[in-house]
Amino acid sequence: MEQNTRSSFSSRIGFVLAAAGSAVGLGNLWRFPYLAAQYGGGIFLLVYLVLVVTFGFTLMVTEIAIGRKTRLSCIGAYKALDRRFGFLGWIAAFVPVIITPYYCVIGGWVTKYLFTFVTGGGQAAADNGGFFDRFTQFDAGSTLATLFNFNAPGPWFLLYTLLTAAVVIFGVEKGIEKASSFMMPVLAVLAILIAGYSLTIDGAMEGLKYYLLPDFSKFSASTVLGAIGQMFYSMSLAMGIMITYGSYMQRENIMEHSVTQIEVFDTLFAFVAGLMIIPPVVAFNGGDPTKINNGPGLMFSTLPMVFESMAFGEIIGAVFFLLVLFAALTSSISLMETIVSVLMDKTPLGRKSSTLIVTGATLLIGIPSCLGYGPWAGIKILGMQFLDFFDFISNSVLMPIVAVLTCILIGHVVGTKVIADEVKQNGAAFHREGLHRVMIRWIAPVLLVAILVSELATKVFGLFTI
Ligand code: PFF
C-alpha cells in the first residue's frame, strides 16, 4: 500500500466485490447467528437492520470518502484531516492486531471441521456440541502438549495462520480475488439451500419465530451495543479498512450506490446464516429458544447435525466447510495485510520480514484464545474467556471509541461538507445526505457514548473475576 503509486480498482464492481470480500467472512457466518441467538433473536435482528441502514451507512460512506479524498491509509488519513486526530489512525490500525489472532483461532476450528468431514468423520461431529466441546476443551496434561495435539485447536490454528501468511507473503491477491469471485456466489447458493433445508426440520418453526419476531421485552443497552459491535465487525468498519479501500476507489464511482450494495450483500449473508443455524438449533433443543446458549460454538455444534440429517450430508458438509474456510481466508488475509502494510510503511522492513513478524505475533497473541476453553479455562478476564475478551475489547470498546472520535472529527471539527463534497464528485447524488449529517453529528456519538459507558460500567465494574 504505497501512497504515491496508489493503484485503483479497475471497475466499480471490482471495488464492490473487493470490499464485500473483506466484509463477508466469519463475522456473518459464525458471529452473527450466535449473537442473534444470544441477544433475543428477532429483537437483535431488528436492531441490527435499523443500525445497518442508518449508522452503518453513515460510517461506511464517511470512511470510504476519507480514503478517496486523502488517498492515504488510515494512519495518514486522519492526520491529513486534522493533525490533532492523528492518534486515531493508530488506534484504528491497532484493532486488526487484536482481531487477527482470534480470527485465526476460529479459522483453525473451521479447518478442523473441514478435515473431519473430508475424512468421513462428519457423523461423529453431529452430537449436539459434544464433539466441539471435546475439541476446544481438550487438555493433554500440559500447555505445550495441548498446543501440539491434533485433537486440540493448536495445530489447526497454526495451519490456518500459515495459510493466511503464505498468501500475504507472496502477495497473490489476484489469484485470491479470482477464486473468491467464483467461490462466494457458490457459498451464497449453498447457504440458501441449507437454510431452506433447515426450515423443513421438525420443530424448526419455533426457531424461525424466535429469529424473525422481535420480543421487545428482551431489548436492552446490551442488545444495541452487541448489534453495533457486530455491525462494525461485519462491515469491516472502525478499523481503518474502508479508508484504505476508499483510497483505491476511482473518482468516477458513485459512492452511495457502492455502499448500498456492500451493505445489502453483507447483511443478506448474515441473515441467511441465521436462517441456516437458529431454526435447527431450537428444533434440536426441543423447541425451547432459551436453551440455545452455546455462544461461539453455535455454528460448530448445530450445522453438523443438520448435515447428518441430510442425504449426502457428509459431502455437503465438506463442501460447506471448504467454502466457509475460503470466506474466512479472504477476510483474514485482508486483516493481516493491513497490519503488514502499516509495518512496511512505517519501518524500513520489506514485505517478507514484515509478514514473518506479524505471523509470529499473531501466533503468540493467539495462544490464550486457543487454549482459553481448554487448559486455561480457569483464567477469566472480566468474567470472559480469552477469545471472548479479545472479541469484546475490539468490537465493544475500541471500535466504538474509533467511531465516536471519527464522528466528532467529521461532524464538529472538519465539517460534514467535506464528506458530502467527496461523495458528490462528478455530479453523483447523495440521497441520504441529511441522514448522514444528523447521524454523524448527533445521534451516533450520543448513542455510542451512552451505551459504551453503560456497558463498561456493568462489564468492568460489575464482573471483575480474575
Ligand atoms: N468483516 C469480516 C467478517 O465479517 O468476518 C471481518 C474482517 C475482515 C474485519 C477483514 C476486518 C477486515 F479487514
Side-chain angles (χ1 to χ4, degrees), residues 22-23 25-28 103 233-234 236 239 241 331 334-335:
S22 160
L26 292 172
N28 310 62
Y103 204 90
Y233 188 92
S234 187
S236 306
M239 52 182 122
I241 307 274
S331 293
S334 80
L335 275 164

Side-chain angles (χ1 to χ4, degrees), residues 46 77 97 102 104 106 114-115 143 180 219 239 292 304 309 318 361 372 376 384 394 423 436 439:
L46 180 69
V97 177
Y102 83 81
C104 288
I106 320 275
L114 172 62
F115 179 82
T143 295
S180 78
F219 181 84
M239 52 182 122
I292 35 177
S309 66
W376 292 9
M384 289 174 265
S394 51
V423 176
H436 179 265
M439 278 305 297

Side-chain angles (χ1 to χ4, degrees), residues 300-332:
F300 299 95
S301 35
T302 314
L303 281 178
M305 295 205 291
V306 176
F307 297 140
E308 138 91 350
S309 66
M310 286 170 109
F312 305 109
E314 293 271 309
I315 300 173
I316 296 174
V319 175
F320 178 80
F321 280 111
L322 178 71
L323 294 169
V324 174
L325 179 69
F326 207 79
L329 272 174
T330 55
S331 293
S332 55

Side-chain angles (χ1 to χ4, degrees), residues 180-194:
S180 78
S181 57
F182 163 72
M183 290 179 89
M184 295 307 276
V186 181
L187 177 61
V189 172
L190 195 68
I192 290 172
L193 291 179
I194 296 171

Side-chain angles (χ1 to χ4, degrees), residues 261-288:
Q261 280 174 343
I262 302 167
E263 275 184 326
V264 169
F265 210 70
D266 190 63
T267 307
L268 274 181
F269 256 97
F271 178 71
V272 174
L275 274 185
M276 200 163 66
I277 295 173
I278 295 177
V281 82
V282 173
F284 292 132
N285 281 306
D288 182 359

Side-chain angles (χ1 to χ4, degrees), residues 421-442:
D421 286 348
E422 184 58 41
V423 176
K424 290 192 273 191
Q425 288 265 338
N426 279 316
F430 190 7
H431 297 289
R432 288 183 263 174
E433 184 174 349
L435 171 80
H436 179 265
R437 210 180 126 75
V438 179
M439 278 305 297
I440 208 157
R441 280 174 66 85
W442 304 112

Side-chain angles (χ1 to χ4, degrees), residues 396-424:
S396 300
V397 181
L398 286 179
M399 284 145 101
I401 289 176
V402 171
V404 171
L405 292 173
T406 307
C407 290
I408 293 173
L409 170 66
I410 300 299
H412 301 278
V413 180
V414 299
T416 51
K417 192 169 175 306
V418 173
I419 302 297
D421 286 348
E422 184 58 41
V423 176
K424 290 192 273 191

